Amino acid sequence: MGFWYDETFDDHTRLSLRVNETLFSGQSDFQKVEVIDTVGFGRVLVVDGVFMTSEYDEFLYHEMLVHPALTTAPRIERVLVIGGGDGGTVREVLRHAEVRECVMIEIDEMVVEASKQYLQSIGTAWDDPRLDLRFIDGIDYVKTSRDDKFDVILIDGTDPIGPGAVLFDEDFFVGCKRMLEDDGVMALQSESPLLMMDAFADVQRTLRKLFAEVHPYLGPVPLYGTGTWSWTWCSDTGEPLRPNHERQDAIVEALKSYNPDLHQAIFALPT
Ligand code: SPD
C-alpha cells in the first residue's frame, strides 16, 4: 500500500503522492535529499520536502527551460547551467551540436550522486566530454569567476525558500549578467504564476531592472503545485519569437514536448 508523501505549500495547500518505497534519503551539508518511487509519477527527486523532478513529467520542465533559449541566442557555443543536479537540463543543452562547452555549477554533490544512481533515465549526458561539472556555490561563481563569458545562461534552481532563495536575488542576477555575452540569452525557472504569484511577480520586476527584454512563458508541469509553471527568457538585444529554424529542426525529432509551433505559443500570456 505504501504511504503518502506531502509537499506542503502553505497552511491550506499541499500536493500528495502515493509512494511505493524510499530509494534514497540523505542529509547533505546543504539540504535533505530523497529519491522516492511513486505510483503516479515514477521516481521523484525531493529536496527539503519539495518535489524537484519526476520520471513521469521531467521532459516538460527541462525542454521548456532549455530550448527557447538555445534556439534564439545568436551563438550557443558556451553554455552555463546553474543548479540542475538531476542532469535533465544539461541533457537538453547537449542535444545541440553547436554547444562546445557546458559548464554546470551545482552546490550539492549529493543531489548529483543520488540522481546518477536512481534517476538514470533523466541524467543521460553525464559522460558527454563537453560537460564541465563543478561542485561550487553558484552565487560565488557568478560574482567572482574569471572564466570567459557565456552565450547562454540557464538557472535551474529550487523554490525561493531556504538555501535556494538566493538564486532569486538581484545580486545574483547581476552576477549572471556579468557572465553573459552582451547579446547572450538567459533563461530561468520562475515559479508558478498562480500558487507563487508574489515570487513570480518579484522576479519579473527584478529582471526588468537588468535586461531590456524580459519575457515570461508558461507550460504544464503536473508535479509542481497547480500544474502551471513559468520560465523567463531575458536578453538585452534578442527577440524570443525569432528562433533559429535549423537548430529547431536538428533536435525536434528527439523531443517529447518542445516544437516550433509550441515555441511561438508559449510566449502568449493570459490577460
Ligand atoms: N517547485 C519546485 C521547483 C523546482 C524547479 N527546479 C527543478 C529542478 C529540475 N531539474
Side-chain angles (χ1 to χ4, degrees), residues 42-102:
R43 294 182 176 190
V44 176
L45 174 67
V46 188
V47 171
D48 279 346
V50 177
F51 300 140
M52 283 294 132
T53 200
S54 82
E55 290 180 318
Y56 167 70
D57 69 354
E58 60 85 15
F59 66 95
L60 291 167
Y61 174 88
H62 293 119
E63 292 185 15
M64 286 285 266
L65 173 62
V66 173
H67 300 305
L70 267 85
T71 55
T72 49
R75 291 169 312 285
I76 58 171
E77 289 188 7
R78 298 196 79 234
V79 178
L80 171 64
V81 173
I82 297 173
D86 51 78
T89 293
V90 295
R91 178 197 71 215
E92 293 304 320
V93 169
L94 292 164
R95 285 189 198 282
H96 290 267
E98 285 173 66
V99 174
R100 297 169 63 119
E101 183 184 12
C102 178

Side-chain angles (χ1 to χ4, degrees), residues 7 50-53 61-62 84 86 89 156-159 189 191 196 224 229:
E7 177 181 341
V50 177
F51 300 140
M52 283 294 132
T53 200
Y61 174 88
H62 293 119
D86 51 78
T89 293
D156 184 9
T158 180
D159 296 327
Q189 75 87 359
E191 297 296 309
M196 290 84 130
Y224 301 158
W229 205 250

Side-chain angles (χ1 to χ4, degrees), residues 1-267:
M1 290 298 288
F3 61 95
W4 289 92
Y5 194 115
D6 292 343
E7 177 181 341
T8 300
F9 301 110
D10 52 38
D11 62 1
H12 51 82
T13 314
R14 65 176 63 154
L15 174 64
S16 198
L17 303 181
R18 187 185 283 282
V19 177
N20 294 315
E21 62 174 323
T22 299
L23 300 169
F24 176 84
S25 180
Q27 178 69 44
S28 74
D29 289 344
F30 308 100
Q31 53 207 353
K32 183 169 186 188
V33 180
E34 296 167 283
V35 180
I36 54 178
D37 182 44
T38 71
V39 178
F41 283 74
R43 294 182 176 190
V44 176
L45 174 67
V46 188
V47 171
D48 279 346
V50 177
F51 300 140
M52 283 294 132
T53 200
S54 82
E55 290 180 318
Y56 167 70
D57 69 354
E58 60 85 15
F59 66 95
L60 291 167
Y61 174 88
H62 293 119
E63 292 185 15
M64 286 285 266
L65 173 62
V66 173
H67 300 305
L70 267 85
T71 55
T72 49
R75 291 169 312 285
I76 58 171
E77 289 188 7
R78 298 196 79 234
V79 178
L80 171 64
V81 173
I82 297 173
D86 51 78
T89 293
V90 295
R91 178 197 71 215
E92 293 304 320
V93 169
L94 292 164
R95 285 189 198 282
H96 290 267
E98 285 173 66
V99 174
R100 297 169 63 119
E101 183 184 12
C102 178
V103 176
M104 174 176 163
I105 304 295
E106 167 60 56
I107 196 169
D108 195 343
E109 190 166 0
M110 185 181 283
V111 174
V112 172
E113 290 310 316
S115 299
K116 281 184 175 174
Q117 190 166 354
Y118 296 104
L119 299 171
Q120 291 175 3
S121 67
I122 297 178
T124 55
W126 292 121
D127 295 329
D128 191 308
R130 297 171 293 165
L131 179 62
D132 176 359
L133 171 58
R134 307 180 198 176
F135 295 110
I136 51 177
D137 184 339
I139 317 295
D140 292 344
Y141 178 77
V142 298
K143 288 185 184 166
T144 61
S145 170
R146 295 186 178 196
D147 280 358
D148 290 339
K149 293 191 174 207
F150 292 89
D151 301 313
V152 176
I153 296 179
L154 301 168
I155 304 167
D156 184 9
T158 180
D159 296 327
I161 44 171
V166 284
L167 295 185
F168 289 81
D169 283 351
E170 184 169 340
D171 278 358
F172 171 64
F173 293 135
V174 167
C176 290
K177 193 161 183 202
R178 189 184 78 84
M179 297 300 297
L180 189 64
E181 295 285 0
D182 291 345
D183 58 356
V185 171
M186 181 171 101
L188 57 140
Q189 75 87 359
S190 46
E191 297 296 309
S192 163
L194 303 173
L195 195 62
M196 290 84 130
M197 193 182 285
D198 290 345
F200 171 78
D202 282 350
V203 78
Q204 302 304 316
R205 275 191 286 271
T206 305
L207 292 167
R208 283 176 188 170
K209 289 193 226 169
L210 303 176
F211 290 93
E213 298 289 334
V214 175
H215 299 272
Y217 54 99
L218 303 178
V221 184
L223 184 68
Y224 301 158
T226 72
T228 297
W229 205 250
S230 81
W231 301 259
T232 302
W233 185 104
C234 316
S235 169
D236 270 342
T237 60
E239 290 180 45
L241 292 178
R242 300 189 61 180
N244 176 318
H245 298 299
E246 282 181 17
R247 283 189 209 146
Q248 288 183 318
D249 291 347
I251 58 165
V252 78
E253 286 296 315
L255 303 183
K256 296 183 188 167
S257 173
Y258 175 90
N259 61 48
D261 288 343
L262 189 68
H263 185 116
Q264 297 302 314
I266 53 178
F267 290 96

